[in-house]
Coordinates of all heavy atoms in Angstrom, one line a residue:
E24 N 6.4 8.8 -0.7 CA 7.7 9.1 0.0 C 8.3 7.7 0.4 O 7.6 6.7 0.5 CB 7.4 9.9 1.2 CG 6.8 11.3 0.9 CD 6.6 12.1 2.2 OE1 6.9 11.6 3.3 OE2 6.3 13.3 2.0
A25 N 9.6 7.8 0.6 CA 10.3 6.6 1.0 C 9.9 6.3 2.4 O 9.7 7.2 3.3 CB 11.8 6.8 1.0
P26 N 9.8 5.0 2.8 CA 9.4 4.6 4.1 C 10.4 4.9 5.1 O 11.6 4.9 4.8 CB 9.1 3.1 4.0 CG 9.9 2.7 2.8 CD 9.9 3.8 1.9
H27 N 10.0 5.1 6.3 CA 11.0 5.3 7.4 C 11.8 4.0 7.6 O 11.3 2.9 7.5 CB 10.2 5.6 8.7 CG 11.0 6.1 9.8 ND1 11.6 5.2 10.7 CD2 11.4 7.3 10.2 CE1 12.3 5.9 11.6 NE2 12.2 7.2 11.3
P28 N 13.1 4.2 7.8 CA 14.0 3.0 7.8 C 13.6 2.0 8.8 O 13.6 0.8 8.6 CB 15.4 3.6 8.2 CG 15.3 5.0 7.7 CD 13.9 5.4 7.9
E29 N 13.2 2.4 10.1 CA 12.8 1.4 11.1 C 11.5 0.7 10.7 O 11.3 -0.4 11.3 CB 12.6 2.1 12.4 CG 13.9 2.6 13.1 CD 14.4 3.9 12.5 OE1 13.7 4.5 11.7 OE2 15.5 4.4 12.9
A30 N 10.7 1.3 9.8 CA 9.4 0.7 9.5 C 9.5 -0.1 8.2 O 8.5 -0.6 7.7 CB 8.4 1.7 9.4
A31 N 10.7 -0.3 7.6 CA 10.8 -0.9 6.3 C 10.3 -2.4 6.4 O 10.6 -3.1 7.4 CB 12.2 -0.9 5.8
S32 N 9.5 -2.8 5.4 CA 9.0 -4.1 5.3 C 8.5 -4.3 3.9 O 8.4 -3.4 3.1 CB 7.8 -4.3 6.3 OG 6.7 -3.6 5.8
P33 N 8.2 -5.6 3.5 CA 7.7 -5.8 2.2 C 6.5 -5.0 1.9 O 6.3 -4.6 0.8 CB 7.4 -7.3 2.2 CG 8.4 -7.9 3.2 CD 8.5 -6.8 4.3
A34 N 5.7 -4.7 2.9 CA 4.4 -4.0 2.7 C 4.7 -2.5 2.4 O 3.9 -1.8 1.9 CB 3.5 -4.1 3.9
A35 N 5.9 -2.0 2.7 CA 6.2 -0.6 2.6 C 6.5 -0.2 1.1 O 6.5 0.9 0.8 CB 7.4 -0.2 3.5
A36 N 6.8 -1.2 0.3 CA 7.2 -0.9 -1.1 C 5.9 -0.6 -1.9 O 5.0 -1.4 -1.8 CB 7.9 -2.1 -1.7
A37 N 5.9 0.4 -2.6 CA 4.7 0.8 -3.4 C 4.6 0.0 -4.6 O 5.5 -0.2 -5.4 CB 4.8 2.3 -3.8
N38 N 3.4 -0.5 -4.9 CA 3.0 -1.3 -6.1 C 1.8 -0.7 -6.6 O 0.7 -0.9 -6.0 CB 2.9 -2.8 -5.7 CG 2.6 -3.6 -7.0 OD1 1.8 -3.2 -7.9 ND2 3.2 -4.8 -7.1
P39 N 1.8 0.1 -7.7 CA 0.6 0.8 -8.2 C -0.6 -0.1 -8.4 O -1.7 0.2 -8.1 CB 1.1 1.4 -9.5 CG 2.6 1.6 -9.3 CD 3.0 0.4 -8.5
T40 N -0.3 -1.4 -8.9 CA -1.4 -2.3 -9.2 C -2.1 -2.7 -7.9 O -3.3 -2.7 -7.7 CB -0.9 -3.5 -10.0 OG1 -0.4 -3.1 -11.2 CG2 -2.1 -4.5 -10.2
D41 N -1.3 -3.1 -6.9 CA -1.8 -3.4 -5.6 C -2.5 -2.2 -4.9 O -3.6 -2.4 -4.3 CB -0.7 -3.9 -4.7 CG -0.2 -5.3 -5.0 OD1 -0.8 -5.9 -5.8 OD2 0.9 -5.7 -4.5
D42 N -2.0 -1.0 -5.1 CA -2.6 0.1 -4.5 C -4.0 0.3 -5.0 O -5.0 0.6 -4.3 CB -1.8 1.4 -4.8 CG -0.5 1.5 -4.0 OD1 -0.3 0.7 -3.1 OD2 0.2 2.4 -4.2
L43 N -4.2 0.1 -6.3 CA -5.5 0.3 -6.9 C -6.5 -0.8 -6.4 O -7.6 -0.5 -6.1 CB -5.4 0.2 -8.4 CG -4.7 1.4 -9.1 CD1 -4.6 1.1 -10.6 CD2 -5.5 2.7 -8.9
S44 N -6.0 -2.0 -6.4 CA -6.8 -3.1 -5.9 C -7.3 -3.0 -4.5 O -8.4 -3.2 -4.2 CB -6.0 -4.5 -6.2 OG -6.8 -5.6 -5.7
F45 N -6.3 -2.7 -3.6 CA -6.7 -2.7 -2.2 C -7.5 -1.4 -1.9 O -8.3 -1.5 -1.0 CB -5.4 -2.7 -1.3 CG -4.7 -4.1 -1.3 CD1 -3.4 -4.2 -1.7 CD2 -5.5 -5.2 -1.0 CE1 -2.8 -5.5 -1.7 CE2 -4.9 -6.5 -1.0 CZ -3.5 -6.6 -1.4
M46 N -7.2 -0.3 -2.6 CA -8.1 0.9 -2.3 C -9.5 0.6 -2.8 O -10.5 1.1 -2.2 CB -7.5 2.1 -3.0 CG -8.2 3.4 -2.7 SD -8.3 3.8 -0.9 CE -6.6 4.4 -0.7
A47 N -9.6 -0.1 -3.9 CA -11.0 -0.4 -4.4 C -11.7 -1.2 -3.4 O -12.9 -1.0 -3.1 CB -10.9 -1.2 -5.7
L48 N -11.0 -2.1 -2.7 CA -11.7 -2.9 -1.6 C -12.1 -1.9 -0.4 O -13.1 -2.1 0.1 CB -10.7 -4.0 -1.1 CG -11.2 -4.8 0.2 CD1 -12.6 -5.4 -0.1 CD2 -10.2 -5.8 0.5
A49 N -11.2 -1.0 -0.1 CA -11.5 0.0 1.0 C -12.7 0.8 0.6 O -13.6 1.0 1.5 CB -10.3 0.9 1.2
L50 N -12.9 1.1 -0.6 CA -14.1 1.9 -1.1 C -15.3 1.0 -1.0 O -16.4 1.5 -0.6 CB -13.9 2.4 -2.5 CG -12.9 3.5 -2.6 CD1 -12.6 3.8 -4.1 CD2 -13.3 4.8 -1.9
R51 N -15.2 -0.3 -1.3 CA -16.4 -1.1 -1.2 C -16.8 -1.3 0.3 O -18.0 -1.4 0.6 CB -16.1 -2.5 -1.8 CG -16.0 -2.5 -3.3 CD -16.1 -3.9 -3.9 NE -15.0 -4.7 -3.6 CZ -13.8 -4.8 -4.2 NH1 -13.6 -4.0 -5.3 NH2 -12.9 -5.6 -3.8
L52 N -15.8 -1.4 1.2 CA -16.1 -1.4 2.6 C -16.8 -0.1 3.1 O -17.7 -0.2 3.8 CB -14.8 -1.7 3.4 CG -14.2 -3.0 3.2 CD1 -12.8 -3.1 3.9 CD2 -15.1 -4.2 3.6

């Protein structure tokens, strides 16, 4: 979903490659 306007930031934009990488780290944790 599109981020809430007040919360918009560079981190709010979806990047599939980053999503996979950071979620893999979350799973290792």
Side-chain angles (χ1 to χ4, degrees):
E24 295 184 356
H27 191 269
E29 289 81 4
S32 74
N38 183 318
T40 302
D41 286 349
D42 284 355
L43 293 172
S44 176
F45 290 125
M46 184 60 77
L48 174 57
L50 290 173
R51 289 196 295 273
L52 294 174

